[in-house]
């Protein structure tokens, strides 16, 4: 970008912004592996505390909120790739769901949903819908409708199918029974961490969402 | 390379020496074929081939240790739930009072479990014989953006570090009186005080890392040259094509009435 316009002031600002954005690009790339590691650590801590939840997408949601749909989506996708190659191959087909969760969080972050209460609830509902609607067809193909989680399969799926409900509906409710609490904690923790970050860092990562000329989004908190 | 995360086992078998892409195509095709194949015996056949390859790679013992820990619980869960509750259930196998176990559900669960066993075996066949760094390297030589290559490589290095840090933070918070055992609400309350410091410290390091990369020309738009080339051959290339084409072939066969 050349700053040779007669409007010196504007040219300067644009040039600075571009340089800044360029560096942020690298920063956003560097953020992705960190989000992946947060996904892993969230799951590991949940296991050590013996919590009955996965909590393996906190980094994905946080990455989406901080730096947009691409950072969130890629973090989710690669988290699943790595875990399917090392500890849990069954996670591989669900990569696509993690990608969608990261993109959903990124879109929520773009509109600043995490800053207001109705927005936070909307973010939670959106992520639950993306996760549950996306996972159900995979569950049907992999496990014949079960979710692979002992609680949902024995308490939700089996009785409903026994009672004559259609398998897809039982499969959806089975998946939902896991996603409702799991994604609630995920979104709550991600938003809490977001607001626990030093302002400086939030500002660093969030420049992506401000195309030149657009007014600054609502200030945080 | 990837510390405690990678499953890679050193070896000199044919599979270890094969081009990473050949193994990748083999894994993906085997999984796809296991899910396309119509009946139990076809899936058993694929599983036998995969296990033979695992044996040939010399990692059978390690494979069983890891794979059984994943496959056993899910197989039991499938057998239990489908045997009692499957819409196809007609033929009774046994009945214990009100609990009736059916044959159709059992067959359904066996097929699903075997397909999952193929998925697990094919994936581990790849992870046991391929160095994680080689995957990213091979993909970058085939046009994957070097930035994505960095993301994968660096994630593989950061994850063990972060998990180690999680352990340290856990000890520190426990020393300050944080309860990490006891009832579920109590354990749940401990989650945030463990998670927050971990995330904050790992995020704070990113800016320095980004600057270090920039200084080394990470953001430059130049053509990258590979440090080393993987051995590839016409045979492997042909094998890759054959495996990749077997998948659409199987789908066509299924549509045409393969039972």
């Amino acid at each position: 970008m050349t700053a040779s316009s007669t409007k010196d002031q504007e040219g300067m600002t644009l040039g600075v912004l571009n340089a800044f954005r360029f560096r942020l690009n690298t920063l956003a790339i560097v953020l992705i592996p960190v989000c992946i590691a947060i996904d892993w650590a969230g799951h590991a801590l949940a296991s050590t505390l013996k919590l009955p939840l996965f909590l393996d997408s906190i980094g994905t949601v946080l990455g989406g909120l901080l730096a947009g749909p691409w950072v969130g989506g890629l973090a989710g996708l690669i988290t699943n790739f790595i875990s399917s190659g090392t500890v849990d191959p069954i996670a591989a087909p669900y990569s696509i769901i993690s990608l969608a969760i990261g993109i959903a969080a990124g879109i929520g972050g773009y509109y600043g949903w995490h800053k207001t209460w109705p927005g936070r609830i909307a973010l939670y509902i959106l992520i639950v819908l993306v996760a549950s609607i996306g996972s159900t067809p995979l569950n049907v193909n992999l496990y014949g409708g079960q979710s692979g989680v002992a609680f949902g399969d024995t308490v939700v799926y089996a009785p409903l199918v026994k009672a004559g409900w259609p398998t897809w509906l039982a499969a959806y409710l089975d998946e939902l029974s896991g996603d409702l609490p799991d994604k609630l904690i995920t979104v709550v923790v991600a938003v809490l961490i977001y607001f626990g970050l030093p302002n400086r860092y939030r500002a660093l990562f969030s420049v992506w969402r401000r195309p030149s000329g657009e007014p600054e989004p609502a200030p945080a908190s | 390379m990837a510390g405690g995360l990678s499953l890679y086992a050193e070896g000199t078998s044919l599979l270890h020496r094969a081009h990473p892409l050949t193994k990748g195509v083999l894994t993906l095709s085997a999984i796809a074929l296991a899910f396309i194949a119509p009946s139990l015996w076809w899936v058993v056949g694929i599983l036998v081939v995969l296990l033979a390859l695992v044996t040939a790679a010399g990692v059978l013992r390690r494979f069983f240790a890891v794979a059984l820990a994943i496959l056993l619980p899910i197989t039991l869960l499938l057998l239990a739930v489908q045997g009692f509750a499957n819409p196809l259930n007609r033929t009774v196998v046994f009945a214990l009072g009100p609990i009736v176990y059916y044959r159709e559900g059992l067959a359904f669960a066996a097929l699903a479990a075997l397909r999952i066993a193929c998925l697990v075996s094919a994936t581990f066949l790849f992870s046991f014989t391929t160095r994680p760094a080689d995957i990213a390297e091979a993909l970058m030589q085939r046009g994957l953006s070097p930035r994505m290559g960095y993301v994968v490589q660096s994630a593989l290095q950061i994850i063990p570090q972060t998990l180690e840090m999680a352990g340290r933070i856990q000890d520190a918070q426990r020393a300050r009186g944080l309860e990490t055992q006891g009832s579920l609400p109590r354990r749940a309350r401990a989650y945030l005080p463990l998670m927050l410091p971990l995330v904050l410290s790992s995020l704070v390091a990113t800016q320095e890392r980004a600057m270090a990369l920039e200084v080394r020309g990470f953001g430059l738009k130049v053509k990258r040259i590979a440090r080393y080339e993987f051995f590839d051959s016409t045979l492997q290339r042909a094998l890759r094509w054959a495996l990749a084409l077997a998948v659409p072939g199987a789908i066509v066969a299924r549509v045409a009435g393969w039972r």
Side-chain angles (χ1 to χ4, degrees):
Chain A
M1 172 107 324
T2 50
S4 60
S5 69
T6 42
K7 287 183 212 158
D8 240 13
Q9 197 61 39
E10 201 182 345
M12 277 282 285
T13 333
L14 254 171
V16 167
L17 240 180
N18 267 344
F20 202 44
R21 195 180 284 166
F22 187 62
R23 243 183 60 192
L24 270 166
N25 239 343
T26 302
L27 198 58
I29 294 276
V30 173
L31 185 62
I32 299 173
V34 175
C35 291
I36 296 170
I38 295 172
D39 279 344
W40 274 74
H43 182 64
L45 281 179
S47 315
T48 23
L49 291 176
K50 301 197 186 65
L51 303 182
L53 301 167
F54 292 115
L55 300 182
D56 56 357
S57 43
I58 293 173
T60 306
V61 173
L62 184 68
L65 290 180
L66 271 174
W70 288 118
V71 170
L74 283 169
L77 187 74
I78 300 172
T79 298
N80 270 49
F81 279 163
I82 295 180
S83 66
S84 50
T86 51
V87 291
D88 183 14
I90 307 176
Y94 295 91
S95 307
I96 194 84
I97 312 301
S98 297
L99 174 76
I101 289 175
I103 290 175
I107 292 168
Y110 181 84
Y111 290 114
W113 283 2
H114 49 293
K115 290 167 190 161
T116 61
W117 276 107
R120 284 168 196 158
I121 294 166
L123 183 68
Y124 168 54
I125 294 173
L126 178 68
I127 289 178
V128 165
L129 285 179
V130 164
S132 55
I133 294 175
S135 302
T136 304
L138 293 175
N139 289 345
V140 169
N141 279 310
L142 269 177
Y143 306 119
Q146 293 175 234
S147 64
V149 179
F151 170 79
D153 284 352
T154 50
V155 178
V156 181
Y157 182 81
L160 286 181
V161 171
K162 245 356 221 172
W165 290 43
T167 18
W168 62 267
L169 189 58
Y172 180 74
L173 293 174
D174 178 356
E175 176 65 37
L176 198 63
S177 76
D179 280 336
L180 278 174
D182 189 55
K183 299 301 178 278
L184 176 67
I185 310 289
T186 301
V187 171
V188 166
V189 172
V191 168
L192 279 173
I193 291 172
Y194 180 93
F195 286 105
L197 279 179
N199 228 329
R200 189 162 77 86
Y201 282 96
R202 261 184 274 160
L204 267 183
F205 291 115
S206 60
V207 167
W208 65 273
R209 78 182 61 158
R210 225 165 303 147
S212 50
E214 211 165 274
E216 178 136 351
S221 67
Chain B
M1 176 79 202
L5 200 58
S6 164
L7 290 174
Y8 176 70
E10 285 292 341
T12 50
S13 75
L14 201 63
L15 274 148
H16 281 85
R17 280 178 283 130
H19 193 284
L21 278 183
T22 310
K23 288 180 273 188
V25 173
L26 170 70
T27 298
L28 293 177
S29 308
I31 295 170
L33 288 175
F35 280 85
I36 296 165
S39 63
L40 195 73
W41 293 112
W42 284 103
V43 182
V44 170
I46 296 171
L47 188 60
V48 168
V49 172
L50 285 170
L51 288 179
L53 287 171
V54 171
T55 317
V59 289
L60 192 66
R61 191 188 294 244
R62 289 194 47 189
F63 168 80
F64 272 122
V66 199
L68 284 184
I70 295 168
L71 287 173
L72 224 49
I74 190 63
T75 306
L76 289 176
L77 192 61
L78 276 166
L79 287 172
V81 172
Q82 298 294 341
F84 292 116
N86 186 300
L88 298 172
N89 280 346
R90 299 281 179 278
T91 328
V92 175
V93 178
F94 67 84
L96 291 169
I99 302 168
V100 187
Y101 199 85
Y102 294 94
R103 191 189 193 144
E104 287 79 5
L106 175 68
F108 184 94
L111 182 59
L114 279 168
R115 282 181 170 151
I116 293 172
C118 285
L119 168 75
V120 170
S121 317
T123 313
F124 278 152
L125 180 65
F126 182 79
S127 338
F128 275 124
T129 57
T130 317
R131 220 179 267 111
D134 288 356
I135 307 163
E137 187 68 41
L139 286 174
M140 280 193 280
Q141 288 178 14
R142 297 296 162 123
L144 179 79
S145 137
R147 300 176 146 236
M148 285 304 108
Y150 163 79
V151 168
V152 177
Q153 310 262 35
S154 138
L156 284 169
Q157 283 177 1
I158 295 178
I159 292 168
Q161 289 170 17
T162 312
L163 293 181
E164 203 176 291
M165 188 152 67
R168 277 206 301 278
I169 289 173
Q170 217 171 321
D171 290 342
Q173 295 287 55
R174 240 190 243 139
R176 294 184 186 111
L178 183 79
E179 301 256 16
T180 56
Q181 272 143 7
S183 65
L184 180 62
R186 179 169 288 174
R187 279 178 280 137
R189 262 203 300 279
Y191 191 73
L192 207 58
L194 293 176
M195 199 62 190
L196 257 176
L198 180 68
V199 174
L200 293 185
S201 50
S202 39
L203 276 180
V204 164
T206 51
Q207 200 187 8
E208 282 171 33
R209 204 172 297 136
M211 283 197 257
L213 282 169
E214 275 298 295
V215 169
R216 287 162 179 78
F218 182 72
L220 293 180
K221 290 204 167 37
V222 291
K223 193 171 161 21
R224 260 84 176 171
I225 292 169
R227 199 149 49 88
Y228 56 90
E229 291 280 337
F230 293 102
F231 173 75
D232 204 357
S233 59
T234 327
L235 181 67
Q236 289 200 46
R237 212 164 294 139
L239 193 62
R240 284 205 289 271
W241 277 106
L243 284 164
L245 289 174
V247 176
I251 295 175
V252 170
R254 248 340 265 279
V255 173
W258 177 25
R259 287 279 172 271

